[in-house]
Amino acid sequence: MRVPNHLAIIMDGNGRWAEQRRLPRVIGHRKGAETVQSVVSECLRLGVRHLTLYAFSSENWGRPRDEVDALMELLGIFLKREIRQLGSRDIRFTAIGELDRLPAKIRTILDQAIDETAGNRTMTLTLALSYGSRNELARAARSLAAKAAAGLLDPAAIDEECLAAELDTAGFPDPDLVIRTSGEMRISNFLLWQAAYAEFYFTEVFWPDFSTAQLHAALEEFARRERRFGLTGAQVSPPGRENGH
Ligand code: IPE
Ligand code: IPE
Ligand code: MG
């Protein structure tokens, strides 16, 4: 099966999963963290090279203080536990987003995880934390403007490549497939620039219930899609040639 080189997931529905069971929302987040572990393992097994997980958006800072605090605590626990296993599995860990808004304790753990796994190659696991595409694009614009103002960059030379190089995802390939769980069919400020030609897959399943079987269903659907990138079908897969990249 043709697997996406870069899979990105909007992990949604933790709160509703818990509410349906009359449990506190934080229990849903805790269960969601377990799903992360199984999805990471399966993606590694299947040969996905880049996995990007939307864990906390810029807008999520506006949630009730208790929920934000609980999410940060959970993130710390998850990172400490998970990071130890990343090294032995040759997974490189990175993070995108406005990381300086995160609590200092979390940033220390993040920095350590990024440093310790920098040499790993089999898969890159990226967490989008305090991430919002509009914020990322604004920061990129600011950085380009500062370079131009300092005389280091000719504004006329700013092209797509130049802007992409200023994004948090600089150097990463664009996502091939974006999955969103929980039935919502929106992008919620995730990888707006990078997902320009991504395939989208939506499922009603809440993130804590997203199993390996659900992941396989999404990947099978992806393998059946014909991607065109603005070209004609014949250009993308000439007759007699295997359909794939
Ligand atoms: C996704 O689950 C996790 C985060 C956004 C942090 P939600 O917390 O959004 O769950 P629902 O959408 O309220 O069910
Ligand atoms: C998107 O989910 C962000 C994450 C999954 C981290 P939200 O639950 O915050 O998105 P909306 O508010 O339903 O659009
Ligand atoms: Mg949600």
Side-chain angles (χ1 to χ4, degrees), residues 10-19 25 28-29 54-57 60 63 67 71 180-182 184 186 206-208:
I10 302 173
M11 311 183 289
D12 198 14
N14 292 349
R16 277 165 287 165
W17 181 91
E19 282 159 14
R25 289 174 61 87
H29 295 310
Y54 202 6
F56 192 83
S57 75
N60 290 152
R63 291 193 179 192
E67 183 164 345
L71 277 165
R180 181 170 188 149
T181 57
S182 90
E184 307 302 342
R186 54 179 173 256
F206 292 141
W207 178 249

Side-chain angles (χ1 to χ4, degrees), residues 3-242:
V3 296
N5 179 46
H6 183 172
L7 170 63
I9 308 181
I10 302 173
M11 311 183 289
D12 198 14
N14 292 349
R16 277 165 287 165
W17 181 91
E19 282 159 14
Q20 264 189 353
R21 290 162 177 76
R22 299 181 193 284
L23 295 167
R25 289 174 61 87
V26 62
I27 304 290
H29 295 310
R30 206 174 292 163
K31 193 83 173 58
E34 290 173 22
T35 306
V36 171
Q37 288 179 298
S38 73
V39 166
V40 169
S41 297
E42 190 58 9
C43 285
L44 185 69
R45 197 182 72 77
L46 292 169
V48 172
R49 298 298 309 278
H50 292 265
L51 176 63
T52 300
L53 302 175
Y54 202 6
F56 192 83
S57 75
S58 304
E59 289 72 26
N60 290 152
W61 286 117
R63 291 193 179 192
R65 172 83 193 268
D66 283 359
E67 183 164 345
V68 172
D69 288 351
L71 277 165
M72 290 301 145
E73 198 187 316
L74 206 57
L75 179 64
I77 295 168
F78 169 84
L79 286 171
K80 275 194 214 149
R81 190 183 53 204
E82 191 67 0
I83 287 347
R84 256 182 262 127
Q85 301 172 21
L86 295 175
S88 59
R89 298 195 291 172
D90 201 33
I91 300 175
R92 176 183 163 210
F93 176 80
T94 62
I96 56 171
E98 240 184 340
L99 304 180
D100 48 16
R101 288 184 74 181
L102 295 168
K105 213 173 87 186
I106 300 288
R107 288 197 55 195
T108 309
I109 306 172
L110 275 179
D111 289 342
Q112 195 185 340
I114 293 167
D115 285 352
E116 281 179 12
T117 63
N120 295 350
R121 288 289 171 266
T122 305
M123 184 170 92
T124 299
L125 170 65
T126 303
L127 281 193
L129 291 171
S130 185
Y131 177 86
S133 271
R134 287 181 168 183
N135 167 269
E136 179 190 36
L137 285 161
R139 283 187 283 114
R142 210 181 300 150
S143 161
L144 289 173
K147 285 180 187 172
L152 300 168
L153 177 69
D154 174 5
I158 298 174
D159 56 10
E160 294 176 18
E161 209 180 312
C162 215
L163 199 137
E166 294 292 340
L167 298 176
D168 297 346
T169 51
F172 296 163
D174 286 339
D176 300 291
L177 173 65
V178 177
I179 296 175
R180 181 170 188 149
T181 57
S182 90
E184 307 302 342
M185 297 200 199
R186 54 179 173 256
I187 196 162
S188 300
N189 208 6
F190 187 49
L191 303 179
L192 299 181
W193 168 281
Q194 298 87 340
Y197 269 102
E199 296 293 324
F200 284 82
Y201 179 88
F202 297 101
T203 168
E204 296 284 325
V205 173
F206 292 141
W207 178 249
D209 285 332
F210 190 76
S211 61
T212 301
Q214 309 283 346
L215 175 65
H216 289 173
L219 296 180
E220 277 158 24
E221 161 87 28
F222 171 77
R224 283 193 296 270
R225 301 261 181 102
E226 187 201 351
R227 304 179 76 191
R228 291 198 175 170
F229 305 97
L231 308 177
T232 69
Q235 281 177 299
V236 175
S237 50
R241 276 189 52 190
E242 205 37 25

